[in-house]
Amino acid sequence: MSRAGRLLATTRAGWHSFLRRRTAVFFTFFFPAIIVLIFGVLVQTQPASGGLFTEPAGWYIAGYLAVVVLFTPLSRVGSEVARHRSGSQFEKLATTPLRRWEWLLAQTIVNTIVIGIAAILLLGLLFTATDASVKGSADVVLVVPFVGVGVGLFCAIGALLGSLVDSQDGVIAASNGIAIPLVFLSEAFVPRELLPAWLPLELSPLTYFTRGVRAVTYPEPADSAITAAPVGTPLLDLLVLTGFAVVAFVLAAYLLPRTD
């Protein structure tokens, strides 16, 4: 079987495996909706009032997308690797022509499709339930590569966790232990000026995702009295994010176990 055939077959198997887990399917799409309903509808934004959630609603689009791109692949791929280890699946895969990086790429493709659908549904709910809007420029299409590269990055980090942590429960705990701090320390929901100046936010790859997506989606407020947090330089942010993703993918593929 050719490499393309192996990738297609593994991707198809991963997709059907995802669909068979109804609980996973439900929470993959339900969790982002809950985030939007809680923070976008119930809490809402209070511009110029001080404290958290004081930016215009459009400023938080990048944060909502960051939640989907971060949590879902991190936990899904980490758990998948842990399941393969506990079921001795990598030992069986070692007897086939399928290479480890091909298996990881197939998992990344599946998650990119899943999270792409989840992101579209999330944005639809966000624009329906809140007054958020996006920039009316061609740059907004850069959201697509940002999401794709971000998913690839956190799939690779999830695979690293699955390879290094002993159990599936441990992988889930480690995923949450990484994801929750990153959400609040990567300018997803908390502007830079509200955090201590000594925090090295640039060490977090999620920072480049949120800055880049915000730069191409957030329309500057017409009301000059509202001073929104600064946005980033999208192409540079995408380049840095891609660098993180490539390094993480190579390392994750190398560390995937050959045997269990």
Side-chain angles (χ1 to χ4, degrees):
M1 182 183 290
S2 66
R3 177 167 295 164
R6 294 196 300 269
L7 279 173
L8 180 60
T10 309
T11 301
R12 186 185 296 117
W15 174 255
H16 288 298
S17 175
F18 167 70
L19 293 180
R20 282 195 298 269
R21 299 188 180 99
R22 296 182 180 179
T23 302
V25 173
F26 176 77
F27 281 102
T28 295
F29 300 110
F30 181 70
F31 178 67
I34 285 294
I35 295 296
V36 170
L37 291 175
I38 291 176
F39 294 105
V41 178
L42 298 181
V43 176
Q44 298 186 352
T45 60
Q46 303 293 329
S49 66
L52 295 175
F53 290 94
T54 59
E55 305 295 344
W59 193 86
Y60 296 98
I61 291 174
Y64 294 126
L65 288 176
V67 169
V68 182
V69 166
L70 172 63
F71 279 88
T72 304
L74 199 62
S75 60
R76 286 199 71 248
V77 176
S79 297
E80 192 70 18
V81 172
R83 277 194 296 269
H84 271 61
R85 289 177 62 190
S86 64
S88 300
Q89 293 299 311
F90 285 113
E91 188 170 291
K92 297 174 184 176
L93 286 176
T95 65
T96 71
L98 187 70
R99 300 194 175 191
R100 290 177 295 173
W101 71 265
E102 293 173 343
W103 181 88
L104 181 56
L105 180 58
Q107 295 297 320
T108 302
I109 293 172
V110 171
N111 279 275
T112 301
I113 296 171
V114 169
I115 294 165
I117 296 171
I120 292 172
L121 295 176
L122 181 147
L123 290 174
L125 177 61
L126 184 64
F127 295 143
T128 301
T130 73
D131 61 351
S133 60
V134 297
K135 218 186 246 187
S137 71
D139 288 346
V140 75
V141 300
L142 287 175
V143 171
V144 176
F146 267 110
V147 170
V149 174
V151 171
L153 168 63
F154 291 109
C155 281
I157 295 176
L160 284 171
L161 292 177
S163 299
L164 299 174
V165 179
D166 291 336
S167 66
Q168 188 173 344
D169 289 340
V171 169
I172 294 173
S175 298
N176 290 332
I178 291 173
I180 292 174
L182 282 183
V183 166
F184 293 100
L185 298 177
S186 301
E187 301 181 13
F189 294 102
V190 183
R192 181 69 178 89
E193 61 268 21
L194 295 183
L195 296 170
W198 52 264
L199 277 176
L201 302 187
E202 288 73 19
L203 295 180
S204 166
L206 191 65
T207 298
Y208 300 96
F209 176 87
T210 56
R211 286 178 179 175
V213 171
R214 186 165 290 127
V216 300
T217 61
Y218 176 60
E220 295 295 334
D223 186 354
S224 59
I226 300 175
T227 304
V231 296
T233 306
L235 291 179
L236 178 60
D237 291 326
L238 182 59
L239 181 62
V240 175
L241 188 69
T242 302
F244 274 109
V246 170
V247 172
F249 185 91
V250 171
L251 186 58
Y254 176 77
L255 291 179
L256 280 176
R258 294 182 184 274
T259 57
D260 305 287

